Amino acid sequence: MERLDRFMARANAAYYAGPDPLAGFTTAPEISQVFGEVLGAWAAVAWQAMGSPTDAVLVEAGPGRGTLMADALRVLRRAAPSLAGNVHLVETSPSLRARQALAVAHATWHDRLETVPTGPLVLLANEFLDALPIRQCVRRGDGWVERHVASGAFVEVPCPAPPTVDAPDDGIVEWSEAARDLVHRVAGRVVAQGGVALFIDYGPERSAPGDSLQALRGGEAVDPLADPGSADLTAHVDIEALAGVARLAGATVQGPVPQGAFLARLGLFERSRALASNVPPPRAGALMEAAQRLAEPHLMGRLFKVTAVCHPALPSLSGFAA
Ligand code: SAH
């Protein structure tokens, strides 16, 4: 028997160590090159707002195939060359590290954020927090039980009340100690050394009870408990709770704002149109369709939210103000 978060950590470590863990997935940077380009432009402006520190480090957590960073660097090499020359990728999967090395020529890899050199931080993380392990408790009358996993099924073990929201009878509360810990460390670093961390994740704007654990194998939803290591396990990110963790550490939080509004303010459509005007019609149409997929509220535009954890001296950053 294993607590759910330990099961999820082990299953995902095995899954991401596999030969092509992202086959069948289409994350935002894989939909359009403009996603990474506008985030690169955002990073340059944020870096300027920090006073253009030459010792700043550019970090991506969970870079997947390296597409976002490769696209962002095309912009950053011109707009913020010193930042573009100091790239650090936090990635535990050996197969994805190899993949990232093909996309990003000059970078240093890390298992954890702690080994990234000191200096003001510009951190990007798209769909990273949702891969971190969660715990789940279920309310049973006046008490609570915590979900463990044994032989592909849940086993309930009595436990104290969970630290976040309440739930009705038989309702499920989930939280991620790993995500809370990461945001706590990022916020502490940003407060002490300066900088900003941008998180893009799916999840509701406010903490709410409910079971959001899901497993995808080759793009298909499968049983999260069956055959650990064969599917990608994710859960909704509790943005409100994580923003609270960041504020407690002394950071300020900008957002969350819906991904669609954020990208539109950063010029997603203008940049896509400019690219489209220089290519044959089928490719031009695909570029505009990709922009819509990223930004339309009924597609990815509303479900995904953008949140920045900032040094308190930073002004309102682009994309966050209407
Ligand atoms: N950001 C990418 C990929 C998201 S998938 C994109 O948008 O396409 C999640 C990524 O986080 C993968 O690269 C995975 O290997 C990495 N990852 C998962 N758990 C991790 C952990 N605990 N530490 C570091 N990286 C992790």
Side-chain angles (χ1 to χ4, degrees):
M1 186 170 74
E2 201 173 20
R3 207 169 71 186
L4 175 60
D5 58 333
R6 295 182 185 135
F7 171 86
M8 186 171 170
R10 201 167 52 81
N12 268 350
Y15 177 75
Y16 284 116
D20 191 8
L22 298 179
F25 288 88
T26 321
T27 54
E30 310 292 340
I31 290 173
S32 171
Q33 69 181 79
V34 182
F35 183 80
E37 289 171 355
V38 296
L39 288 186
W42 179 90
V45 174
W47 174 75
Q48 284 156 10
M50 289 156 56
S52 308
T54 51
D55 59 340
V57 289
L58 178 62
V59 180
E60 186 178 357
R65 293 179 170 138
T67 311
L68 191 167
M69 186 54 84
D71 293 337
L73 282 173
R74 274 200 305 280
V75 174
L76 282 165
R77 273 193 283 268
R78 273 180 287 115
S82 70
L83 187 63
N86 204 353
V87 178
H88 298 267
L89 303 178
V90 179
E91 174 62 67
T92 43
S93 158
S95 55
L96 286 175
R97 280 187 179 201
R99 188 76 193 237
Q100 291 152 19
L102 299 174
V104 181
H106 302 287
T108 309
W109 277 264
H110 303 263
D111 281 324
R112 295 171 309 122
L113 187 69
E114 278 60 37
T115 55
V116 172
T118 49
L121 180 74
V122 179
L123 182 144
L124 304 172
N126 183 61
E127 289 201 60
F128 172 65
L129 297 173
D130 66 356
L132 299 181
I134 58 159
R135 296 173 68 173
Q136 285 186 337
C137 285
V138 190
R139 182 184 264 289
R140 298 279 186 230
D142 288 339
W144 291 87
V145 292
E146 178 157 14
R147 283 178 143 182
H148 289 58
V149 182
S151 311
F154 284 122
V155 177
E156 299 185 340
V157 176
C159 69
T164 50
V165 289
D166 201 356
D169 206 18
D170 296 328
I172 292 177
V173 169
E174 47 185 38
W175 76 102
S176 172
E177 271 165 12
R180 294 168 74 96
D181 184 54
L182 180 108
V183 169
H184 176 77
R185 282 180 285 124
V186 165
R189 180 181 164 129
V190 153
V191 169
Q193 299 172 33
V196 60
L198 192 76
F199 294 98
I200 306 175
D201 280 292
Y202 69 99
E205 207 148 303
R206 311 227 73 111
S207 304
D211 174 12
S212 73
L213 180 66
Q214 68 159 354
L216 289 177
R217 184 186 304 139
E220 299 282 315
V222 295
D223 176 359
L225 304 188
D227 208 359
S230 71
D232 180 34
L233 300 185
T234 60
H236 286 178
V237 174
D238 187 345
I239 298 164
E240 187 181 7
L242 295 177
V245 168
R247 288 193 186 98
L248 261 182
T252 52
V253 176
Q254 299 187 26
V257 295
Q259 169 174 296
F262 184 80
L263 294 176
R265 287 171 192 149
L266 296 185
L268 171 75
F269 290 102
E270 290 82 351
R271 172 83 190 133
S272 299
R273 261 195 297 277
L275 282 177
S277 67
N278 286 319
V279 294
R283 172 89 187 105
L287 271 165
M288 296 315 295
E289 230 170 78
Q292 272 160 7
R293 188 167 163 197
L294 292 171
E296 284 293 331
H298 67 283
L299 300 170
M300 293 173 77
R302 185 155 52 208
L303 187 58
F304 283 82
K305 315 271 186 335
V306 188
T307 311
V309 173
C310 309
H311 184 277
L314 277 185
S316 178
L317 296 167
S318 55
F320 289 100

Short mmCIF file of all heavy atoms in Angstrom, two decimals, residues 270-314:
data_model
loop_
_atom_site.label_atom_id
_atom_site.label_comp_id
_atom_site.label_asym_id
_atom_site.label_seq_id
_atom_site.Cartn_x
_atom_site.Cartn_y
_atom_site.Cartn_z
N GLU A 270 -1.27 39.51 -33.62
CA GLU A 270 -0.48 40.36 -34.52
C GLU A 270 0.75 39.59 -35.03
O GLU A 270 1.04 39.61 -36.23
CB GLU A 270 0.00 41.62 -33.79
CG GLU A 270 -1.09 42.63 -33.45
CD GLU A 270 -1.85 42.28 -32.17
OE1 GLU A 270 -1.66 41.16 -31.62
OE2 GLU A 270 -2.65 43.13 -31.74
N ARG A 271 1.42 38.92 -34.13
CA ARG A 271 2.63 38.18 -34.51
C ARG A 271 2.27 37.02 -35.44
O ARG A 271 2.97 36.75 -36.41
CB ARG A 271 3.31 37.67 -33.22
CG ARG A 271 4.45 36.73 -33.43
CD ARG A 271 5.77 37.44 -33.73
NE ARG A 271 6.77 36.47 -34.15
CZ ARG A 271 7.57 36.60 -35.20
NH1 ARG A 271 7.52 37.68 -35.95
NH2 ARG A 271 8.44 35.67 -35.51
N SER A 272 1.15 36.35 -35.17
CA SER A 272 0.72 35.24 -36.01
C SER A 272 0.37 35.75 -37.40
O SER A 272 0.71 35.13 -38.41
CB SER A 272 -0.49 34.52 -35.39
OG SER A 272 -0.14 33.99 -34.13
N ARG A 273 -0.33 36.91 -37.46
CA ARG A 273 -0.69 37.49 -38.76
C ARG A 273 0.55 37.89 -39.55
O ARG A 273 0.63 37.67 -40.76
CB ARG A 273 -1.59 38.73 -38.56
CG ARG A 273 -3.08 38.41 -38.76
CD ARG A 273 -3.91 39.69 -38.93
NE ARG A 273 -3.85 40.54 -37.74
CZ ARG A 273 -4.63 40.36 -36.67
NH1 ARG A 273 -5.53 39.38 -36.65
NH2 ARG A 273 -4.55 41.16 -35.64
N ALA A 274 1.53 38.48 -38.87
CA ALA A 274 2.76 38.89 -39.54
C ALA A 274 3.47 37.68 -40.14
O ALA A 274 3.91 37.71 -41.30
CB ALA A 274 3.69 39.61 -38.55
N LEU A 275 3.53 36.58 -39.39
CA LEU A 275 4.14 35.36 -39.92
C LEU A 275 3.33 34.81 -41.07
O LEU A 275 3.87 34.36 -42.09
CB LEU A 275 4.22 34.30 -38.82
CG LEU A 275 5.32 34.43 -37.76
CD1 LEU A 275 5.17 33.32 -36.73
CD2 LEU A 275 6.70 34.35 -38.41
N ALA A 276 2.00 34.85 -40.93
CA ALA A 276 1.10 34.27 -41.93
C ALA A 276 1.21 35.00 -43.27
O ALA A 276 1.02 34.40 -44.32
CB ALA A 276 -0.34 34.28 -41.42
N SER A 277 1.54 36.30 -43.21
CA SER A 277 1.58 37.08 -44.44
C SER A 277 2.78 36.71 -45.32
O SER A 277 2.86 37.10 -46.47
CB SER A 277 1.62 38.59 -44.11
OG SER A 277 2.85 38.90 -43.50
N ASN A 278 3.72 35.95 -44.76
CA ASN A 278 4.93 35.60 -45.51
C ASN A 278 4.99 34.15 -45.95
O ASN A 278 6.04 33.69 -46.39
CB ASN A 278 6.17 35.89 -44.64
CG ASN A 278 6.42 37.38 -44.53
OD1 ASN A 278 6.29 38.10 -45.52
ND2 ASN A 278 6.74 37.84 -43.35
N VAL A 279 3.90 33.39 -45.76
CA VAL A 279 3.94 31.96 -46.09
C VAL A 279 2.74 31.58 -46.97
O VAL A 279 1.77 32.32 -47.03
CB VAL A 279 3.96 31.09 -44.80
CG1 VAL A 279 5.23 31.29 -44.01
CG2 VAL A 279 2.74 31.38 -43.93
N PRO A 280 2.81 30.43 -47.66
CA PRO A 280 1.70 30.02 -48.52
C PRO A 280 0.40 29.82 -47.72
O PRO A 280 0.48 29.53 -46.51
CB PRO A 280 2.18 28.69 -49.12
CG PRO A 280 3.61 28.56 -48.78
CD PRO A 280 3.92 29.48 -47.65
N PRO A 281 -0.77 29.95 -48.40
CA PRO A 281 -2.06 29.94 -47.71
C PRO A 281 -2.28 28.77 -46.74
O PRO A 281 -2.76 29.02 -45.62
CB PRO A 281 -3.08 29.91 -48.86
CG PRO A 281 -2.36 30.55 -49.99
CD PRO A 281 -0.90 30.23 -49.83
N PRO A 282 -1.95 27.51 -47.04
CA PRO A 282 -2.28 26.46 -46.06
C PRO A 282 -1.54 26.67 -44.74
O PRO A 282 -2.11 26.55 -43.66
CB PRO A 282 -1.79 25.16 -46.73
CG PRO A 282 -1.54 25.50 -48.16
CD PRO A 282 -1.29 26.97 -48.24
N ARG A 283 -0.29 27.06 -44.82
CA ARG A 283 0.52 27.31 -43.63
C ARG A 283 0.01 28.56 -42.90
O ARG A 283 -0.04 28.60 -41.66
CB ARG A 283 1.99 27.47 -44.05
CG ARG A 283 2.95 27.91 -43.00
CD ARG A 283 3.58 26.77 -42.21
NE ARG A 283 4.38 27.29 -41.11
CZ ARG A 283 4.03 27.27 -39.83
NH1 ARG A 283 2.89 26.71 -39.46
NH2 ARG A 283 4.80 27.79 -38.89
N ALA A 284 -0.40 29.57 -43.67
CA ALA A 284 -0.92 30.81 -43.07
C ALA A 284 -2.20 30.50 -42.30
O ALA A 284 -2.39 30.96 -41.16
CB ALA A 284 -1.19 31.85 -44.16
N GLY A 285 -3.08 29.71 -42.89
CA GLY A 285 -4.32 29.33 -42.22
C GLY A 285 -4.04 28.56 -40.95
O GLY A 285 -4.68 28.78 -39.91
N ALA A 286 -3.06 27.66 -41.00
CA ALA A 286 -2.73 26.85 -39.82
C ALA A 286 -2.22 27.73 -38.68
O ALA A 286 -2.53 27.50 -37.51
CB ALA A 286 -1.69 25.80 -40.19
N LEU A 287 -1.43 28.77 -39.02
CA LEU A 287 -0.90 29.68 -37.99
C LEU A 287 -2.03 30.42 -37.27
O LEU A 287 -2.02 30.55 -36.04
CB LEU A 287 0.05 30.70 -38.63
CG LEU A 287 1.51 30.30 -38.75
CD1 LEU A 287 2.23 31.22 -39.72
CD2 LEU A 287 2.20 30.33 -37.39
N MET A 288 -3.02 30.89 -38.06
CA MET A 288 -4.12 31.63 -37.45
C MET A 288 -5.02 30.70 -36.64
O MET A 288 -5.51 31.07 -35.56
CB MET A 288 -4.93 32.39 -38.51
CG MET A 288 -4.14 33.48 -39.26
SD MET A 288 -3.12 34.55 -38.19
CE MET A 288 -4.37 35.41 -37.21
N GLU A 289 -5.20 29.49 -37.13
CA GLU A 289 -6.00 28.51 -36.39
C GLU A 289 -5.32 28.15 -35.06
O GLU A 289 -5.98 27.99 -34.03
CB GLU A 289 -6.14 27.23 -37.22
CG GLU A 289 -7.55 26.72 -37.36
CD GLU A 289 -7.59 25.63 -38.40
OE1 GLU A 289 -7.19 24.50 -38.08
OE2 GLU A 289 -8.00 25.92 -39.55
N ALA A 290 -4.00 28.02 -35.10
CA ALA A 290 -3.25 27.69 -33.89
C ALA A 290 -3.41 28.80 -32.86
O ALA A 290 -3.59 28.54 -31.66
CB ALA A 290 -1.78 27.46 -34.23
N ALA A 291 -3.35 30.06 -33.31
CA ALA A 291 -3.51 31.19 -32.39
C ALA A 291 -4.88 31.14 -31.73
O ALA A 291 -5.02 31.36 -30.52
CB ALA A 291 -3.32 32.51 -33.13
N GLN A 292 -5.90 30.81 -32.54
CA GLN A 292 -7.25 30.72 -31.97
C GLN A 292 -7.35 29.59 -30.96
O GLN A 292 -7.97 29.73 -29.91
CB GLN A 292 -8.27 30.53 -33.08
CG GLN A 292 -8.73 31.87 -33.62
CD GLN A 292 -9.35 31.79 -34.98
OE1 GLN A 292 -9.56 30.70 -35.49
NE2 GLN A 292 -9.64 32.92 -35.56
N ARG A 293 -6.74 28.46 -31.27
CA ARG A 293 -6.79 27.32 -30.34
C ARG A 293 -6.20 27.69 -28.98
O ARG A 293 -6.70 27.32 -27.94
CB ARG A 293 -6.02 26.16 -30.97
CG ARG A 293 -6.17 24.88 -30.22
CD ARG A 293 -5.64 23.71 -31.05
NE ARG A 293 -5.42 22.58 -30.18
CZ ARG A 293 -4.68 21.52 -30.50
NH1 ARG A 293 -4.10 21.45 -31.68
NH2 ARG A 293 -4.54 20.53 -29.66
N LEU A 294 -5.11 28.47 -29.01
CA LEU A 294 -4.47 28.88 -27.76
C LEU A 294 -5.29 29.89 -26.98
O LEU A 294 -5.24 29.91 -25.75
CB LEU A 294 -3.09 29.48 -28.06
CG LEU A 294 -2.03 28.52 -28.60
CD1 LEU A 294 -0.79 29.30 -29.04
CD2 LEU A 294 -1.66 27.49 -27.54
N ALA A 295 -6.04 30.74 -27.71
CA ALA A 295 -6.65 31.90 -27.06
C ALA A 295 -8.16 31.83 -26.89
O ALA A 295 -8.71 32.48 -26.00
CB ALA A 295 -6.29 33.17 -27.83
N GLU A 296 -8.87 31.06 -27.72
CA GLU A 296 -10.33 31.06 -27.63
C GLU A 296 -10.78 30.49 -26.29
O GLU A 296 -10.30 29.43 -25.87
CB GLU A 296 -10.93 30.20 -28.76
CG GLU A 296 -10.91 30.85 -30.13
CD GLU A 296 -11.85 32.05 -30.23
OE1 GLU A 296 -12.87 32.07 -29.51
OE2 GLU A 296 -11.53 32.96 -31.01
N PRO A 297 -11.76 31.18 -25.65
CA PRO A 297 -12.22 30.74 -24.33
C PRO A 297 -12.71 29.29 -24.33
O PRO A 297 -12.48 28.56 -23.35
CB PRO A 297 -13.37 31.69 -24.00
CG PRO A 297 -13.13 32.89 -24.85
CD PRO A 297 -12.39 32.44 -26.08
N HIS A 298 -13.37 28.82 -25.38
CA HIS A 298 -13.91 27.45 -25.35
C HIS A 298 -12.85 26.42 -25.75
O HIS A 298 -13.12 25.23 -25.69
CB HIS A 298 -15.16 27.34 -26.24
CG HIS A 298 -14.87 27.51 -27.70
ND1 HIS A 298 -14.64 28.74 -28.27
CD2 HIS A 298 -14.77 26.60 -28.70
CE1 HIS A 298 -14.40 28.57 -29.56
NE2 HIS A 298 -14.47 27.29 -29.85
N LEU A 299 -11.67 26.88 -26.15
CA LEU A 299 -10.58 25.95 -26.45
C LEU A 299 -9.59 26.00 -25.27
O LEU A 299 -9.94 25.58 -24.19
CB LEU A 299 -9.95 26.27 -27.81
CG LEU A 299 -10.99 26.16 -28.97
CD1 LEU A 299 -10.46 26.70 -30.28
CD2 LEU A 299 -11.46 24.71 -29.16
N MET A 300 -8.38 26.54 -25.45
CA MET A 300 -7.45 26.56 -24.31
C MET A 300 -7.42 27.90 -23.58
O MET A 300 -6.77 28.05 -22.55
CB MET A 300 -6.03 26.24 -24.79
CG MET A 300 -5.87 24.82 -25.29
SD MET A 300 -4.25 24.55 -26.04
CE MET A 300 -3.22 24.43 -24.57
N GLY A 301 -8.13 28.90 -24.09
CA GLY A 301 -7.96 30.28 -23.63
C GLY A 301 -8.41 30.55 -22.21
O GLY A 301 -7.90 31.46 -21.56
N ARG A 302 -9.42 29.78 -21.74
CA ARG A 302 -9.95 30.08 -20.40
C ARG A 302 -9.52 29.06 -19.36
O ARG A 302 -9.25 29.38 -18.22
CB ARG A 302 -11.47 30.18 -20.44
CG ARG A 302 -12.05 30.61 -19.09
CD ARG A 302 -13.38 31.29 -19.20
NE ARG A 302 -14.30 30.49 -19.97
CZ ARG A 302 -15.31 30.98 -20.66
NH1 ARG A 302 -15.52 32.27 -20.70
NH2 ARG A 302 -16.11 30.19 -21.35
N LEU A 303 -9.47 27.79 -19.74
CA LEU A 303 -9.10 26.73 -18.79
C LEU A 303 -7.68 26.97 -18.26
O LEU A 303 -7.40 26.79 -17.08
CB LEU A 303 -9.21 25.38 -19.51
CG LEU A 303 -9.02 24.14 -18.64
CD1 LEU A 303 -10.03 24.11 -17.50
CD2 LEU A 303 -9.15 22.88 -19.50
N PHE A 304 -6.78 27.38 -19.15
CA PHE A 304 -5.40 27.63 -18.73
C PHE A 304 -5.30 29.05 -18.18
O PHE A 304 -5.87 29.97 -18.73
CB PHE A 304 -4.44 27.45 -19.91
CG PHE A 304 -4.19 25.99 -20.22
CD1 PHE A 304 -5.09 25.27 -20.99
CD2 PHE A 304 -3.08 25.34 -19.72
CE1 PHE A 304 -4.88 23.92 -21.25
CE2 PHE A 304 -2.86 24.00 -19.97
CZ PHE A 304 -3.76 23.29 -20.75
N LYS A 305 -4.54 29.16 -17.07
CA LYS A 305 -4.40 30.46 -16.39
C LYS A 305 -2.91 30.79 -16.24
O LYS A 305 -2.08 29.89 -16.08
CB LYS A 305 -4.99 30.40 -14.99
CG LYS A 305 -6.35 29.73 -14.88
CD LYS A 305 -7.47 30.70 -15.07
CE LYS A 305 -8.86 30.13 -14.83
NZ LYS A 305 -9.09 28.73 -14.97
N VAL A 306 -2.62 32.08 -16.27
CA VAL A 306 -1.24 32.55 -16.14
C VAL A 306 -1.10 33.32 -14.83
O VAL A 306 -1.89 34.21 -14.54
CB VAL A 306 -0.86 33.47 -17.33
CG1 VAL A 306 0.62 33.79 -17.30
CG2 VAL A 306 -1.27 32.84 -18.66
N THR A 307 -0.08 32.95 -14.05
CA THR A 307 0.14 33.55 -12.74
C THR A 307 1.64 33.86 -12.60
O THR A 307 2.46 33.02 -12.96
CB THR A 307 -0.27 32.57 -11.62
OG1 THR A 307 -1.57 32.06 -11.91
CG2 THR A 307 -0.30 33.26 -10.27
N ALA A 308 1.96 35.05 -12.09
CA ALA A 308 3.36 35.41 -11.89
C ALA A 308 3.65 35.60 -10.41
O ALA A 308 2.91 36.28 -9.71
CB ALA A 308 3.71 36.68 -12.66
N VAL A 309 4.73 34.97 -9.94
CA VAL A 309 5.22 35.14 -8.57
C VAL A 309 6.40 36.12 -8.67
O VAL A 309 7.38 35.84 -9.37
CB VAL A 309 5.67 33.79 -7.99
CG1 VAL A 309 6.36 33.97 -6.64
CG2 VAL A 309 4.47 32.83 -7.87
N CYS A 310 6.28 37.27 -7.99
CA CYS A 310 7.19 38.40 -8.26
C CYS A 310 7.89 38.91 -7.01
O CYS A 310 7.33 38.87 -5.92
CB CYS A 310 6.39 39.59 -8.80
SG CYS A 310 5.31 39.21 -10.17
N HIS A 311 9.08 39.47 -7.23
CA HIS A 311 9.70 40.29 -6.20
C HIS A 311 8.77 41.49 -5.96
O HIS A 311 8.23 42.05 -6.91
CB HIS A 311 11.07 40.79 -6.66
CG HIS A 311 11.81 41.55 -5.61
ND1 HIS A 311 11.59 42.89 -5.37
CD2 HIS A 311 12.73 41.16 -4.70
CE1 HIS A 311 12.36 43.30 -4.38
NE2 HIS A 311 13.06 42.25 -3.95
N PRO A 312 8.57 41.87 -4.67
CA PRO A 312 7.58 42.91 -4.37
C PRO A 312 7.85 44.25 -5.06
O PRO A 312 6.91 45.04 -5.23
CB PRO A 312 7.64 43.06 -2.85
CG PRO A 312 8.46 41.94 -2.34
CD PRO A 312 9.15 41.26 -3.47
N ALA A 313 9.08 44.53 -5.48
CA ALA A 313 9.36 45.82 -6.10
C ALA A 313 8.96 45.86 -7.58
O ALA A 313 8.97 46.93 -8.20
CB ALA A 313 10.85 46.16 -5.97
N LEU A 314 8.60 44.74 -8.15
CA LEU A 314 8.30 44.73 -9.60
C LEU A 314 6.96 45.44 -9.88
O LEU A 314 5.99 45.25 -9.16
CB LEU A 314 8.22 43.30 -10.12
CG LEU A 314 9.53 42.62 -10.48
CD1 LEU A 314 9.27 41.26 -11.10
CD2 LEU A 314 10.34 43.48 -11.45
#
